[in-house]
Amino acid sequence: MMLRTFTLLLLCIWLNPGMTSLAVESQPELWIESNYPQAPWENITLWCKSPSRVSSKFLLLKDNSQMTWIRPPYKTFQVSFFIGALTESNTGLYRCCYWKEKGWSKPSKILELEAPGQLPKPIFWIQAETPPLPGCNVNIFCHGWLQDLVFMLFKEGYTEPVDYQVPTGTMAIFSIDNLAPENEGVYICRTHIQMLPTLWSEPSNPLKLVVAGLYPKPTLTAHPGPILAPGESLSLRCQGPIYGMTFALMRLEDLKKSFYHKKPIKNEAYFYFQDLKIQDTGHYLCFYYDGSYRGSLLSDILKIWVTDTFPKTWLLVQPSPVIQMGQNVSLRCGGLMDGVGLALYKKGEEKPLQFLDASSNTGNNSFFLKNVTYRDAGIYSCHYYLTWKTSIKMATYNTVELMVVAWPSSVFKVGKTITLQCRVSHPVLEFSLEWEERTTFQKFSVDGDFLITDIEGQGTGTYSCSYRIEAHPNTWSHRSKPLKLVGPAGFCFWSPLVTGFLTWNSILNEAVRVSLTMQLASLLLLVVWIRWKCRRLRLREAWLLGTAQGVAMLFILMALLCCGLCNGALTEEIEIVMPTPKPELWAETNFPLAPWKNLTLWCRSPSGSTKEFVLLKDGTGWIATRPASEQVRAAFPLGALTHSHTGSYHCHSWEEMAVSEPSEALELVGTDILPKPVISASLPIRGQELQIRCKGWLEGLGFALYKKGEQEPVQQLGAVGREAFFTIQRMEDKDEGNYSCRTHTEMQPFKWSEPSEPLELVIKEMYPKPFFKTWASPVVTPGSRVTFNCSTSHEHMSFILYKDGNEIASSDLAWGNPGGSTAHFLIISVGIGDGGNYSCRYYDFSIWSEPSNPVELVVTEFYPKPTLLAQPGPVVLPGKNVTLRCQGIFQGMRFALLQEGTHTPLQFQSTSGTSADFLLHTVGAQDFGNYSCVYYETTMSNRGSSLSTPLMIWVTDTFPRPWLSAEPSSVVTMGQNVTLWCQGPVRGVGYILHKEGEATSMQLWGSTSNEGAFPIINISGASIGRYSCCYHPDWMSPIKIQPSNTLELIVTGLLPKPSLLVQPGPMVAPGENVTLQCQGELPDSTFVLLKEGTRQPLEQQRPSGYRADFWMPVVRDQDSGVYSCVYYLDSAPLVASNHSNSLEIWVTDKPPKPSLSAWPSTIFKLGKDITLQCRGPLPGVEFVLEHDGEEAPQQFSEDGDFVIDNLEGKGIGNYSCSYRLQAYPDIWSEPSDTLELVGAAGPVAQECTVGNIVRSTLIVVVVVALGIVLAVEWKKWPRLRTRGSETDGRDQTVVLEECNQEGEPGTTTNSPSSASQEVSVELTVPI
């Protein structure tokens, strides 16, 4: 047999960064044990061991055909297979497998048992622990199958072994340290028994050790392309710069079975795959070597995909799917395939909008739309774009709808205006803006910008624009798509809700405004009338003046009360204006012991909308700008550090219309001195733990913390990244002081940095931390409204809101309300960049509070949703534990677990992998419910995934009973297809379908939904029967399982059809009784009543005669529908007749209302009539047409058509119609919806007239009411007699002093009034 050769490429394949995603399935281990150490073939036992988990079944294979499996009584790691004495019949190739959750594992390595008297041939392979360039270490593994053997390592050209070992197990590891070119060559391994040194095994397969890196790397390309369908042909071309070399190709997923050598054609070699298979998918690379096994560097890894369906792509929008007109938007297309072109498509357009070639596709790529307009709005998707022909199907994960709104948004804010921008791609003479709610509104603009204000909510509505060009100044274009502007919600005065519905606050405010206006008008009218009568004011007029003063006081009181209601009903909300986040600046080097030899500065922003980075030196010097990468960062190489590089550096990030704050300053002092670190800490609180952060700018450094007055460091930490956290366990007075930190290289002699700026720690008197929360869940979707509530029991406090440690909003002193202080911070519409860690503090004039507990705001729908699974299953016994695994897509994310009905996430977990496990301890009734999870990145504003599909967790000792139904019905015709659905609320559980009388069952394992589908194709007599189903969990569980209902599958079309009648009639009122009579043609039958739209029969009866009466007592509206019936003989159960004729039953007091329409339109034209068409759902009816304002019906008709003329305008008005059954002339249907017929002037003029009439009527009513009130009050007082009456001659009229000074001062009069002046002064005037 030709010996296979394996070559070690001296490059760290498994440690290659491009291979971190390869998942290598662990194999079970197979070995031999014997109680005859000198002659092991006398009694052999094979052992199989699973590598990492217990298993319930193990399988032994011999020569790929003969199988022996063992199912131990309990799950275990390993089992034994007894062979006995080795004979000719036992020789062969052995492998073993173990049972996993979803099938058998990958087989173990092959064990070859040869004839008695020979040891098994060992297997031989090599692993490089470090990149095996000269000086690295290499491990050579030799597996001998038996324990206590002697292992010998031989090299070609040497007679003696180069190494030997006597391990205690079945495997020896030969190490080659400090690899050198003389270690190249061909190696083999052999074994022998310690007690019998003459009994050797067969040599292992030879292994070539090739030193890589001595020649330049070749290039590896695929023709026709790297992605092909199964069955297609592939050619891999490996080309190098040197002629006459031997080329080798390998697939990294299985180095031993996929290693190919080729003699060159000049300086290249071709590797052909004629009929590709799915298992050919993998990462390929090639190299070449000379006759002395000196090799080249490895080529770049080439990923080959063999699939019939592409993995789905997903599309993400940055900064948001709702974009302002004129801005730029990035559509990032992501997928699992690298090196493949991408194309962007828009719904409604056949050709792609943009392309990305294969060289730029690295997994996450962006298409850019600049200066977007309304034409860019639409639904987008992206697909892979191939330049070669293949039959692979393509699919996309999601589509993205891009919405383009006006600037700055389509939602009015208090005191703000909105600019509507109308744009076209060619020169325009003039633009016009129309407002749909006001037909008389029209604005014109040359540049297409229209400024809209929202005074008292008068700017909201739907707008569209059109234009005209200079060549045709009298012709206007079609209108644009409408754009709706809405007002803000929740403000104090007359602000309608964003959706267009009035809130209670807006209704209250409007009522207050109308009331105040009417009271003010009444007061003014009353005062003017009194002033007019002032010169002759009598006693009753004086009383009226007092009444006017009372009304004025009432008016002022009402105004104060109304303003108090308005201000007290709403709590002030501070809108958060998000600043551009501060970027992070750090340094990297490839010389860790002397970083100043080659230094690169990196700047990264936590905002995904960053476009560009700027590096500045000493605050003014402009060094360079760099565009932001996909990781939202940029590199600024400085090279070797010289004196000209010393200084203070910081960077900014640029977005569309804003620039960020500068990063923390990085000071480069000079060579041999590391950059000065930055020290910071939270506020020290007595008795609590304090962490001091030292940021050191470079990775791989050590950290030391110093306190002023002490020479030695108080704490030291090793290399933990670019920053370290020193912990003071309990802050006391002795810990106060000035602290600083320094960094140093890890290798001696240490290179130290300068000390950081000092940090003073002083324990101050502080208020307790505030209560901080969000009103809704902190896991929100983009565009949601988020309100942070920060409160304390202390009065008159000011509040500060922080995001990621930076202040972003504040509130003034809260003096308005007694009791505690509260501040509400509002984000009206959350964006992708608004996520993060929020906290708050409060303070008075001199004292601050402790920081609140942080709230993690997660903005979802940026990444694809994860999958949530329960282990061992979603049904758990009370008191047991259950683990919820949230499986994401990306590594290094933070996960959150949520339960439906709870305000905050239950658990958080950060992990370096792609999944997180949440453990629910000792579950009880309170743990029952729906769970979901989300993952998000903590370095980029908590951008998160969509929520997972909810998973219901059941805490019970019995599975809930499933329900079995048939689709389309359980009563089907012969030859028809039917699907039996086993439906239950438990997800991720298998189902079993049972048929009565059969021992076997149909199974559906591991259903991912809450339904199990069992299709039955081409129904025949064998399919007839009674079925039931139950859950079949794929985990060991003591929970009881209940069977479902029994479903009878009935096949029709084999007997004559019956007749179906209804008593008393097809239309009955609710609450009455109905009898359905099904009449068959054969005796001894079972009758089945069916209803259209239901899967199960309603009722079954077995009468003694030929007819079954199905009684339906007290029918309701839901009993309306179409009924039919079938029957089958008792001698042939479930073999039924044809369906009877359908019978429709109406359960209603009145027949359903008809529809009314007008032809040709609802607008009368000169000399034209209108035909009103009334249509109902029932036959045999008579229609009647009614006109509002007329008592008698307008017209009767049997076909429902009514001709209306408009003579003298009598045809205008509102119409409705109804009908009655000719069989029941006393029962009328409900009237149809009203239909309005209008004249040629149109509804706008009529609405205007109606509005004016209403307003005029209100004015008249107010004036008349005021007049009546004054008249009634006037008549309440008796008319006093004057001087000319027949009295005692005294004037009873009392004249006010200020109204009696008609003459000049000092003049006299002879009037009776003058004569009685003294009496007038003495009288008391009651006011």
Side-chain angles (χ1 to χ4, degrees), residues 1170 1172 1182-1187 1190 1192-1197 1201-1205 1215-1218 1228:
I1170 291 178
L1172 296 181
E1182 182 182 21
F1183 296 91
V1184 62
L1185 181 68
E1186 297 179 355
H1187 186 191
E1190 298 183 8
Q1194 183 79 2
Q1195 299 181 35
F1196 291 88
S1197 172
D1201 291 343
F1202 303 93
V1203 178
I1204 308 298
D1205 57 36
Y1215 289 83
S1216 63
C1217 71
S1218 56
W1228 286 91

Side-chain angles (χ1 to χ4, degrees), residues 10-43:
L10 294 187
L11 195 69
C12 189
I13 296 171
W14 301 111
L15 299 179
N16 190 313
M19 291 300 298
T20 56
S21 62
L22 291 178
V24 179
E25 182 183 0
S26 54
Q27 296 174 283
E29 181 183 359
L30 183 65
W31 75 92
I32 303 173
E33 288 189 1
S34 175
N35 51 3
Y36 294 90
Q38 297 184 4
W41 47 85
E42 296 291 340
N43 190 5

Side-chain angles (χ1 to χ4, degrees), residues 47 77 289 294 304 334 399 414 543 697 779 803 839 938 943 1058 1146 1243 1250 1271 1302 1315:
W47 283 84
F77 282 97
Y289 57 94
R294 291 175 297 187
I304 299 297
T399 58
V414 175
W543 173 84
W697 310 109
V779 180
K803 178 190 175 188
S839 61
T938 57
R943 297 184 303 188
W1146 299 87
V1250 172
E1302 297 182 2

Side-chain angles (χ1 to χ4, degrees), residues 541-553:
E541 283 86 356
W543 173 84
L544 288 174
L545 181 60
T547 303
Q549 293 177 354
V551 171
M553 293 299 296

Side-chain angles (χ1 to χ4, degrees), residues 397 863-867 887-889 933 935 945-949:
Y397 180 83
Y863 293 111
K865 68 179 180 180
T867 302
Q887 180 66 51
I889 297 178
C933 70
Y935 63 88
S945 67
S946 299
L947 289 177
S948 66
T949 302

Side-chain angles (χ1 to χ4, degrees), residues 471-491:
H472 303 281
N474 297 325
T475 304
W476 288 90
S477 69
H478 293 287
R479 290 187 180 185
S480 66
K481 292 183 178 180
L483 174 68
K484 188 173 184 179
L485 301 184
V486 297
F491 295 99

